[in-house]
Amino acid sequence: MVDALGVAVVGFGWMGRVHTQAYARVRHHYPRLALRPELITVAEEVPGRAEEAAAQFGFVSTTRDWREVAADPRVRAVSITAPNFLHREIAVAMAEAGKHIWIEKPVGLCLDDARAVADAVAEAGVQGAVGFNYRNAPAVEAARALIADGEIGAVTHVRIRLFSDYAAHPEGALTWRYERERGGSGVLGDLASHGADLARFLLGDIVSLTADTAVFVPRRARPTAATAGHARAAGGDMGPVENEDYVNCLLRFASGARGVLEASRVSVGEQNNYGFEVHGTTGAVFWDFRRMNELGVSRGTAYQDQPVSTVYVGPAHGEFAAFQPGAANAMGYDDLKVVEAHRFLRSIAESTPYGATLPDAVHSAAVLEAMVRSAEHGTWVSPALDG
């Protein structure tokens, strides 16, 4: 028996569309899933956008007020893909209404927001999933297993990079993403949050760090109409960019390993250049999101001049078998969100968390807050995980 689960999506920009498509696809890839998501409501305040979503994807109803979703008994699970400044209010209300939540990172504007959402989910006894999708790549999960099994020896150091050009154009609109009050941090929340999660997922807890940040495009034009994604706004009134375009950070892990995390939203010539290089005492492992289904692996006893092999992930790695029958058949970004949807729905069905959870978001937010404090004071800082 497969139970129907009423779901809603709050916020229908690009990420709301990705979540909706993941719900539509999830049972095609996971036919034994005990729940069947049914698209009940889409909430979006931009006029006409919710209606377009309903017409395309088959939502039963639409609303411009997310509070109607919280009060709707048909809805048992909610995707929260609204802007960052709305995360805390919406997520806490949904949890208090007894609804499971799948929320996009960074879960609010700050560490206090992430903690408030995590506490609300725990107190309500509902499931909470977070959109740290890069950890879902089969190659990343294979790298984690390889590291944990000691295949590259004891980890000595790691470099994690997240370079993008989505904000490089000087005519990029001054949307909520660039405002402290509505966006919180800049590239920290957008990209470095993923880096902090990947660092902990692969190597364990970060115990201290030192960071530097910069704004390279200090003023942008305000948009004159509703925007989605990274729109242009040439000719509008100019306003200040209030959060960082770039961060670099040195990391110290509880294991004794060292690391570098660097992220930029204004890197001309870089399109989603995300990845990591992990070095150990006897080998190394390399991953590039743009070649998502490959790992570079060096292991053996040669030490010097030891070769690097390309490993194509396949059905034995992570969730690959749910999508492709053999190694070197490509998976893509949207597939990672289908994996995320499956783990969220499985968590609900089994009352056991799978995948990235709210405590993971709290850890990431603590690292981001430490980066902010370090950049302000020019010192080494420890993430505040104890209240």
Side-chain angles (χ1 to χ4, degrees):
M1 175 69 71
V2 177
D3 293 331
L5 181 82
V7 301
V9 176
V10 176
F12 206 81
W14 170 66
M15 188 53 68
R17 181 177 295 272
V18 172
H19 276 231
T20 302
Q21 291 170 167
Y23 285 130
R25 293 177 54 197
V26 67
R27 281 189 53 80
H28 295 286
H29 295 281
Y30 298 94
R32 294 182 179 84
L33 183 63
L35 294 174
R36 183 182 73 254
E38 293 187 348
L39 300 176
I40 300 298
T41 304
V42 54
E44 171 57 63
E45 65 178 14
V46 175
R49 190 177 287 175
E51 290 74 17
E52 291 176 5
Q56 181 175 0
F57 294 102
F59 286 96
V60 175
S61 58
T62 66
T63 180
R64 293 181 63 181
D65 186 353
W66 60 263
R67 294 168 186 82
E68 294 184 6
V69 175
D72 191 338
R74 299 172 299 171
V75 175
R76 293 174 54 200
V78 181
S79 280
I80 301 171
T81 55
N84 298 352
F85 69 97
L86 295 171
H87 283 185
R88 177 173 180 169
E89 182 181 12
I90 296 173
V92 169
M94 296 301 173
E96 290 177 345
K99 303 185 191 305
H100 308 284
I101 65 169
W102 175 14
I103 185 170
E104 276 305 312
K105 55 83 205 166
V107 187
L109 301 176
C110 59
L111 176 57
D112 284 347
D113 285 356
R115 281 191 175 129
V117 175
D119 289 345
V121 165
E123 290 169 9
V126 296
Q127 297 297 319
V130 180
F132 288 129
N133 43 267
Y134 298 110
R135 62 156 63 187
N136 299 329
V140 173
E141 295 191 317
R144 186 187 192 215
L146 185 149
I147 293 165
D149 290 343
E151 292 289 326
I152 62 170
V155 172
T156 54
H157 57 97
V158 60
R159 185 169 76 97
I160 298 173
R161 69 187 185 282
L162 297 113
F163 297 149
S164 185
D165 63 357
Y166 69 79
H169 202 293
E171 293 181 0
L174 188 70
T175 64
W176 60 269
R177 292 181 181 277
Y178 302 96
E179 299 174 359
R180 287 284 181 194
E181 185 175 350
R182 297 195 297 162
S185 61
V187 76
L188 292 185
D190 278 355
L191 296 180
S193 58
H194 282 298
D197 181 67
L198 282 173
R200 180 168 169 264
F201 184 69
L202 292 169
L203 302 182
D205 287 341
I206 295 166
V207 295
S208 62
L209 60 84
T210 184
D212 184 35
T213 62
V215 177
F216 295 128
V217 184
R219 295 181 64 80
R220 295 180 181 274
R222 301 184 189 279
T224 57
T227 61
H230 307 292
R232 305 269 179 89
D237 294 336
M238 301 297 289
V241 172
E242 298 173 351
N243 50 33
E244 72 289 332
D245 289 326
Y246 170 83
V247 61
N248 65 65
C249 184
L250 300 179
L251 308 170
R252 291 174 178 164
F253 293 86
S255 66
R258 298 300 196 258
V260 177
L261 193 162
E262 191 176 14
S264 173
R265 63 188 182 188
V266 294
S267 294
V268 175
E270 301 282 12
Q271 296 86 41
N272 299 326
N273 182 359
Y274 309 152
F276 54 75
E277 300 98 44
V278 182
H279 294 266
T281 52
T282 61
V285 59
F286 310 90
W287 181 70
D288 186 328
F289 169 66
R290 298 165 301 178
R291 304 177 72 91
M292 191 177 83
N293 305 289
E294 300 177 16
L295 277 181
V297 180
S298 178
R299 52 188 164 186
T301 59
Y303 296 96
Q304 187 178 5
D305 298 328
Q306 185 164 282
V308 177
S309 300
T310 298
V311 175
Y312 297 103
V313 294
H317 302 110
E319 300 288 334
F320 189 94
F323 297 86
Q324 298 294 349
N329 287 289
M331 287 177 61
Y333 175 89
D334 285 10
D335 295 331
L336 302 184
K337 303 306 279 192
V338 176
V339 172
E340 209 164 272
H342 170 251
R343 290 174 174 170
F344 175 48
L345 296 170
R346 185 182 176 192
S347 298
I348 297 169
E350 300 180 17
S351 298
T352 300
Y354 294 96
T357 62
L358 268 304
D360 294 315
V362 171
H363 275 85
S364 176
V367 170
L368 300 187
E369 183 188 74
M371 289 181 188
V372 172
R373 288 189 284 128
S374 176
E376 288 176 350
H377 301 293
T379 58
W380 283 86
V381 173
S382 295
L385 291 170
D386 300 323

